[in-house]
Amino acid sequence: MAQRDTGTEQHIKDTAKRIFFSEGKLHATTQDIADAAGVNRTLLNYYFRSRDILFEQVATEARAEMSKEMDSVFASQLEFKDKLEKLIHVFMDQAMQYPYREMYIITDLNRNDRQVPEEKKTRVNAFLKEISEEMDKGKIKKMDPRHFCMNLFALMAYPLINNCLNKSLYNINDAEYLELMKERKKLIFEMVYQ
Amino acid sequence: MAQRDTGTEQHIKDTAKRIFFSEGKLHATTQDIADAAGVNRTLLNYYFRSRDILFEQVATEARAEMSKEMDSVFASQLEFKDKLEKLIHVFMDQAMQYPYREMYIITDLNRNDRQVPEEKKTRVNAFLKEISEEMDKGKIKKMDPRHFCMNLFALMAYPLINNCLNKSLYNINDAEYLELMKERKKLIFEMVYQ
DNA sequence: CATTTGTTTAACAAAAATGTTAAACACAAT
DNA sequence: ATTGTGTTTAACATTTTTGTTAAACAAATG
C-alpha cells in the first residue's frame, strides 16, 4: 500500500527544533513539544519510539546540518577572503534562525560525553592552515590561528545567544535587532580581516 | 541554643553551582546534585524547601554575583582604558571559573520570562555613553556602542562556553587551554581598543 | 462498499523526579 | 547524664514525565 505520510513526523521534529534551537527552551518535555506541534503526545512515541531517540535524532541532525553548512564553505575553492565572507554569511544566517542550536549540542555533549569525529578535526585543521597562510601573506594580524577561529565564531554566535538579554539591556526591538545583526556581518568581517 | 551550621546548606549550593555553571549540566536533577555533594537528597528539601526554590536561589545569586563583579568595574573612577582592562580581567576570571553561568541565566530567562531590572539598564547605558565618548576621542573605532559591547562580551564569553568543543577541535589540553585563555585577555584588549 | 493499513487518540501503566514524615543522630547546654 | 535543638537519614507519598495498549479514524485499494 502507498505510504500515506501526513508530514507529522517531520512536523514534530521541526517543532522540537524550533523550541530547542530558536526559543532556547532546553528543558522542554515531550508534552511541551506535542502541545507546540498541536498533536497528541503519543505520536512522539509512535514516530520516534522514545523521547531519548527523538532528542538524539534532533541532536544528530543539528550536528549534521551545522557540518553541512560549514563544510560547503570549507570545501569551496574560493580564495580566503571570499571564503571568510561566505562563512560569515552562511553561519550568521543559520545562527539567526537557530541561535541556540550550538548550545543544544554543547549541553548534549556535557550530559553524555561524545567524541568529535576525526574528519571534522581534519577539516578544521585545514582551515587553521589556510588562516596561517593568510597571516604569512600579511592579510590578517598574526596570532595563534585558533584564537582567530575563536574570535570569529564568538563574534558571530554569542550576540545571538544573548539576544533576549541584549534586547532588554540595550533597548532593542525586533526590527532594530535584525538591522544590528545584518550590520554585524560586515562589522565582523572588517574586524577580523585586516 | 547556638546555631550549629555544618556548612551543608552552603555546600549544597556550591555543588549546584559547580554542576550548573562549571560543568554545564543544565539538566541536573536534585538527586544529581545531592550525589555530587555527597548528601542525602532530603537535605535539599530541608534547607531549600523545594527544587524550584533552590534553583531560583542559585539563579538569583548568579545574577547578583555577576552584577557585583561588573558593577565594581562600571562604578570605578578609572579612565576608560584602565576600566576596559579591568573589565576584561574581572569578567574572564569569573567566566573561566563559571563558563556556563550566563547560559544558566539565559535558559532560566527563556523558561520563565523575567525582567531585567532598570538599574542594570541604567548602568549599561552609562557604560555605552563612556564608549561613545571614547569613540569621539578617536580612541576606539567608531561604531554603534552596542556593537562594541556585543563584540567585547562575545570575545570573552564564547570560547569558554565552547571550551569542550574547542579542546577536541583544536587539540587543546588543559594546560594549553589555560594558557590560551590568559593570552586572550591581552588579545581581546588589543582587538577592541585602538 | 468492504478491507487493508497507516495514522491518531484516549485511557492506562510505568518510571522518574520531587516532596513529606517520622525517627535516628549529634552536639551543646543545663 | 539528660534535655533540647538543629541535622541527617530512610521509608513512604505525591507529582510529573514518559511509555504502552487497544480502539477509533481515515485514506487508498480491490
Side-chain angles (χ1 to χ4, degrees):
Chain A
M1 197 213 207
Q3 301 290 323
R4 226 180 295 158
D5 188 11
T6 53
T8 307
E9 179 170 0
Q10 192 57 44
H11 175 58
I12 290 171
K13 221 154 44 176
D14 288 343
T15 306
K17 286 177 182 176
R18 197 188 76 223
I19 290 183
F20 288 136
F21 305 161
S22 298
E23 299 177 13
K25 291 182 179 158
L26 266 34
H27 294 84
T29 65
T30 52
Q31 187 68 63
D32 293 332
I33 294 167
D35 289 347
V39 302
N40 190 293
R41 185 178 55 81
T42 312
L43 283 185
L44 273 66
N45 289 295
Y46 174 70
Y47 283 113
F48 302 98
R49 229 172 189 78
S50 77
R51 177 199 67 163
D52 285 351
I53 293 174
L54 167 60
F55 285 18
E56 172 63 33
Q57 196 166 323
V58 163
T60 301
E61 290 186 18
R63 286 190 294 267
E65 286 159 23
M66 181 159 279
S67 291
K68 193 187 157 201
E69 296 294 333
M70 288 298 95
D71 289 351
S72 80
V73 178
F74 285 155
S76 69
Q77 290 300 316
L78 300 168
E79 62 174 304
F80 186 80
K81 186 185 168 182
D82 295 328
K83 192 179 274 196
L84 183 58
E85 242 167 352
K86 189 178 172 189
L87 172 66
I88 293 173
H89 266 86
V90 167
F91 186 94
M92 288 222 33
D93 285 346
Q94 285 277 312
M96 282 173 75
Q97 195 194 346
Y98 287 145
Y100 299 100
R101 189 170 61 184
E102 206 161 3
M103 216 25 61
Y104 186 88
I105 294 174
I106 289 173
T107 56
D108 177 68
L109 219 87
N110 288 337
R111 279 215 268 188
N112 319 294
D113 35 33
R114 311 194 183 288
Q115 290 298 315
V116 174
E118 282 306 318
E119 47 174 291
K120 195 171 286 180
K121 291 189 196 176
T122 311
R123 230 155 269 164
V124 169
N125 274 319
F127 188 59
L128 288 174
K129 203 176 154 215
E130 278 188 74
I131 294 168
S132 253
E133 286 165 4
E134 204 69 7
M135 286 176 183
D136 291 339
K137 285 186 208 157
K139 297 299 188 81
I140 42 181
K141 198 187 158 209
K142 289 214 175 188
M143 67 178 82
D144 188 323
R146 295 174 299 186
H147 275 307
F148 181 90
C149 265
M150 287 193 251
N151 293 343
L152 178 59
F153 285 99
L155 290 168
M156 295 193 291
Y158 191 73
L160 292 158
I161 296 173
N162 237 334
N163 176 3
C164 147
L165 256 174
N166 284 342
K167 275 184 179 168
S168 303
L169 279 177
Y170 305 144
N171 283 309
I172 305 175
N173 61 38
D174 285 339
E176 202 173 5
Y177 173 72
L178 268 176
E179 198 48 49
L180 277 171
M181 288 308 124
K182 259 200 279 180
E183 277 172 36
R184 284 194 72 74
K185 288 183 182 177
K186 194 158 161 279
L187 186 150
I188 291 170
F189 179 77
E190 287 166 0
M191 209 162 158
V192 299
Y193 196 82
Q194 276 300 21
Chain B
M1 200 214 202
Q3 300 290 325
R4 226 181 295 161
D5 189 10
T6 52
T8 306
E9 180 171 0
Q10 191 57 45
H11 176 58
I12 290 170
K13 221 152 45 174
D14 289 343
T15 305
K17 286 176 182 175
R18 197 188 75 223
I19 290 182
F20 288 136
F21 305 161
S22 298
E23 300 177 12
K25 291 181 179 156
L26 266 34
H27 294 84
T29 64
T30 52
Q31 188 66 65
D32 292 333
I33 293 166
D35 289 347
V39 301
N40 190 292
R41 186 176 55 81
T42 313
L43 284 185
L44 274 67
N45 290 294
Y46 174 70
Y47 283 112
F48 302 98
R49 225 167 193 82
S50 77
R51 179 198 66 162
D52 285 351
I53 293 174
L54 167 60
F55 285 18
E56 171 63 33
Q57 197 166 320
V58 163
T60 302
E61 290 186 18
R63 286 191 294 267
E65 285 159 25
M66 182 160 278
S67 292
K68 193 187 157 202
E69 296 294 333
M70 288 298 95
D71 288 351
S72 79
V73 178
F74 286 155
S76 69
Q77 290 300 316
L78 300 168
E79 62 173 303
F80 186 81
K81 187 186 169 183
D82 295 328
K83 192 181 274 198
L84 184 58
E85 242 167 353
K86 190 177 172 190
L87 173 65
I88 293 173
H89 266 87
V90 166
F91 186 94
M92 289 224 30
D93 285 345
Q94 285 277 313
M96 282 172 76
Q97 195 195 345
Y98 286 144
Y100 299 100
R101 190 170 60 186
E102 204 161 7
M103 216 24 61
Y104 186 87
I105 294 174
I106 288 172
T107 55
D108 177 69
L109 220 87
N110 288 337
R111 278 214 267 188
N112 320 295
D113 35 34
R114 311 194 182 288
Q115 290 298 316
V116 174
E118 282 305 319
E119 48 174 290
K120 195 170 288 182
K121 291 189 197 176
T122 311
R123 230 155 268 163
V124 168
N125 275 319
F127 188 58
L128 288 174
K129 204 177 152 215
E130 278 188 73
I131 294 168
S132 253
E133 287 164 4
E134 205 67 7
M135 286 176 184
D136 290 339
K137 285 187 207 155
K139 298 298 190 83
I140 42 183
K141 197 186 158 208
K142 288 213 177 191
M143 67 179 83
D144 189 322
R146 295 174 298 187
H147 275 308
F148 181 90
C149 263
M150 287 193 252
N151 293 342
L152 177 59
F153 285 100
L155 290 168
M156 295 193 290
Y158 191 73
L160 291 158
I161 296 173
N162 237 334
N163 175 2
C164 147
L165 258 174
N166 284 341
K167 276 184 179 167
S168 304
L169 279 177
Y170 305 145
N171 283 309
I172 305 174
N173 62 37
D174 286 340
E176 203 174 4
Y177 172 71
L178 269 176
E179 198 48 48
L180 278 170
M181 289 307 126
K182 259 200 279 179
E183 276 173 36
R184 285 195 71 75
K185 288 183 182 176
K186 194 158 161 281
L187 186 149
I188 291 169
F189 179 79
E190 287 166 0
M191 209 162 161
V192 300
Y193 196 82
Q194 279 297 24

